[in-house]
Amino acid sequence: MSEVNHTPFLEVKDLRIIYKTDLETVYAVNGISFKLEKGQTLGLVGETGAGKTTTALSLLRLLPERTGKVVDGTITIEGQDLATMDDEALRQMRGGQIAMIFQDPMTSLNPVMTVADQIGESIMIHNPEFNKEQILGRVKEVLNLVGIAENRASDYPHQFSGGMKQRVVIAMALACNPHLIIADEPTTALDVTIQAQVISMMRNLRDTLGTAMIMITHDLGIVAQTCDNVAIMYAGELIEVGTAEDIFCAEKHHPYTVGLFGSIPNLNVKVDRLSPIPGLMPDPTNLPEGCPFAPRCNKCMPICEKQKPGVYQDGEHQIRCHLFTGAAKGGQ
Amino acid sequence: MKKNRRQSRAIVRLKEIWRRFCKNRIALAGFIVFMCIMMVVVFADVIVPYEMTEKPSPQDRLTPPCAEHPFGTDEFGRSVFARIIHAAPNSLFIGFTVSFGSLLVGGTLGIACGYFGGRFDNLIMRFLDMISALPGSLLAIVMVAVLGPNMRNLIIALIVGHIASFARMCRSVALSISEQEYVKAAKAGGSSDLRIIFRHAVPNAASTLIINTTMSISGVILSACSLSFIGLGVQPPKPEWGAMLNDARQYFNGSPYLMVIPGLAILITSISINMMGDGLRDALDPKLKS
């Protein structure tokens, strides 16, 4: 029994995902591993195109069927291997155990269904024994939870503002009390004042319901506000993983992380220009042989272009960079 | 009691749709005209007995409209008024069955192709390409000639001819809908494919489907007419608008009313159906709800 207790809620091991078309193969996710315990929040940070959304979709097996492929690695949810689940188990898992909040609330609601019907849909699927009144009751409950008046349940999505729509999307995700919510840039499409509202609401919900969460974002401010653990993703790899404290306070960092922090405006220091990271992410169809960040790195060494860096580990803090691993020291 | 409440909810929704439909004056006008035509269809025998359409009276041939013959008489002296009225059920029946029949068959195929894609999609669509490679009227002529000329076979032939265009339309609609985020969101919520098709794809496609179906009704009436002309559709002496129109061609100089009246019948019917379809689409679309 004790072994069961030690199984983390979600474990991703050496996950590799490609998108294969006739013309090219895109290496979207290249061997990432992470664990998530119940009630914890993991922040998945990275530039656009780093493979964050791909990772999230693979957790629900929602990758585009014709092109997306998991080529290697395992995803285990509550001890169950995702790859071996049949369609029925998969449907039970989607929305029931794991729910997803999509990026754009404007498009993730069906324009011709009332809000109550849309929230009720997954309740109906996961609780076939519920009658109409019970479903409507639960719908009103989750609407209250996200701060929308009950009497708006029979309205259509276009009658809501952007922030309200995102609340509805969050309500849909919460409807069946999932153990894990994957929030894929839940605030990117919202303006800043609404962002703050939505984030604090999500934090409250997480604390009251004890749900685990994966927060996908490129906003380090949101990470600082919400996450226990942070994984920084670059070109399909996790280049730095650690607790929020490790990422925000520790001494040693991956040069990319340093660059990310350098791109945030600091209110205490007057600077004329921010220092962005020069260059673009490598072409995912043609990744460099060594460290994927080497072409943009200001601390790039000869070895970085030839060899993949190993992992430097300090407690839970992991950095994939030659600067901190023995190999580099030997080479210097 | 629970059933009652559900019924009343449906009634409320219908009333709401009706209210929005009535706000559109043009659609309402189309609806009223169409209802008049339907009244004529239902009470055709009360207005004028069917025998009148077949009774030739050579002494009265090609009489212009007068008190006795409101729409005049044709080359055999038959009352055009009676023939127009008794042709209405035939023409409308063909128009509706063919349009909805091909929507049903073509729509099912098209939505399945667009949603599931892959090999199934390829197979069905290539087969439909084959059908649409043949000219529609030729296909219908061959089919009616093989099956035998009567109204049932005419309807089958026209449906086969229309399936491809309906399937292609539904496929493109289904394709664009299945790319939408809300479909992904529904999947992430645990919905099965069938549920997504019926609860998400079909309602979102409805406005396109309704407008295209109603628009095609008038086209179908016309193609049925052209087949009737070459003797492969409704068999004479049974009256049919298209056949009447074509029969009248040679008398156009002396008796233009022979062509104008069936032409007007077709025109009024198709315009009223189109206006009604347009209004129906707007009334069913919650985005335009005020």
Side-chain angles (χ1 to χ4, degrees), chain A residues 57 60 62 65-66 91 94-95 98 100 102-104 107-113 117 121-122 124-126 131-133 156 158, chain B residues 2 5-6 9 13 114-118 180-182 184-192 195 199-200 203-204 285-287 289:
Chain A
L57 289 178
L60 284 167
L62 276 179
E65 272 166 44
R66 277 166 248 180
R91 272 207 294 280
R94 289 175 182 163
I98 303 186
M100 186 149 174
F102 285 88
Q103 194 164 347
D104 188 356
T107 57
S108 46
L109 292 172
N110 183 340
V112 302
M113 266 169 97
D117 284 345
E121 189 166 277
S122 74
M124 190 162 38
I125 293 164
H126 296 288
N131 62 29
K132 287 212 161 172
E133 273 80 50
Y156 287 90
H158 70 278
Chain B
K2 218 173 90 186
R5 188 181 293 172
R6 192 178 305 163
R9 235 182 85 182
R13 199 170 282 183
Y115 184 78
F116 293 109
Q180 295 288 320
E181 195 108 298
Y182 54 78
K184 215 186 254 177
K187 253 189 206 169
S191 301
S192 59
R195 173 179 285 274
R199 297 267 292 174
H200 296 271
N204 273 294
D285 187 350
K287 269 176 286 188
K289 195 176 182 180

Side-chain angles (χ1 to χ4, degrees), chain B residues 29-98:
Chain B
F31 179 74
I32 291 169
V33 172
F34 181 72
M35 277 299 127
C36 294
I37 298 170
M38 289 308 282
M39 294 294 267
V40 169
V41 168
V42 173
F43 296 111
D45 282 321
V46 182
I47 299 167
V48 55
Y50 185 78
E51 295 83 65
M52 291 287 284
T53 65
E54 289 178 16
K55 196 178 73 189
S57 47
Q59 70 280 15
D60 288 339
R61 68 191 292 265
L62 297 175
T63 318
C66 59
E68 203 193 335
H69 303 289
F71 290 166
T73 57
D74 65 5
E75 71 272 26
F76 299 116
R78 296 175 298 193
S79 162
V80 174
F81 179 69
R83 290 179 63 77
I84 285 284
I85 285 181
H86 283 279
N90 294 337
S91 294
L92 284 176
F93 181 73
I94 293 173
F96 274 88
T97 40
V98 171

Side-chain angles (χ1 to χ4, degrees), chain A residues 163-210:
Chain A
M164 298 273 269
K165 275 188 208 171
Q166 190 59 296
R167 284 162 188 264
V168 173
V169 173
I170 293 170
M172 279 170 74
L174 291 175
C176 298
N177 287 322
H179 302 159
L180 169 65
I181 294 178
I182 303 170
D184 184 3
E185 306 197 22
T187 57
T188 311
L190 306 176
D191 63 59
V192 189
T193 46
I194 308 297
Q195 242 183 49
Q197 274 183 26
V198 169
I199 289 293
S200 72
M201 183 194 80
M202 287 178 73
R203 210 168 44 191
N204 287 339
L205 290 174
R206 182 200 61 195
D207 292 343
T208 45
L209 305 174

Side-chain angles (χ1 to χ4, degrees), chain A residues 10 12 15-17 19 28-30 32 34 36 42-45 49-64 70 75 77 82 90 93-95 97-103 180-186 213-217 231 233 236 238, chain B residues 181 184-185 187-189:
Chain A
L10 171 74
V12 175
L15 184 67
R16 282 171 201 278
I17 299 169
Y19 289 110
V29 175
N30 306 305
I32 65 168
F34 61 86
L36 189 67
L42 172 75
L44 206 53
V45 188
K52 308 184 297 282
T53 304
T54 304
T55 310
L57 289 178
S58 71
L59 294 181
L60 284 167
R61 254 171 68 184
L62 276 179
L63 290 171
V70 176
I75 300 169
I77 294 157
L82 186 70
L90 204 60
M93 190 271 294
R94 289 175 182 163
Q97 276 172 292
I98 303 186
M100 186 149 174
I101 299 171
F102 285 88
Q103 194 164 347
L180 169 65
I181 294 178
I182 303 170
D184 184 3
E185 306 197 22
M213 196 144 82
I214 294 180
M215 178 72 88
I216 297 175
T217 180
M233 202 162 182
L238 294 182
Chain B
E181 195 108 298
K184 215 186 254 177
K187 253 189 206 169

Side-chain angles (χ1 to χ4, degrees), chain B residues 2 8 12-13 17 22 32 73 83 88 103-104 133 142 153 155-157 163-164 222 224 258 262 265 270 276:
Chain B
K2 218 173 90 186
S8 69
V12 167
R13 199 170 282 183
I17 290 171
C22 290
I32 291 169
T73 57
R83 290 179 63 77
L103 174 69
L104 205 68
V142 171
N153 294 340
I155 287 171
I156 294 175
I163 283 176
L222 284 176
L258 276 185
S270 38
M276 203 173 67

Side-chain angles (χ1 to χ4, degrees), chain B residues 163-175:
Chain B
I163 283 176
S165 70
F166 271 93
R168 208 164 288 130
M169 172 188 82
C170 291
R171 177 176 177 270
S172 73
V173 174
L175 257 181

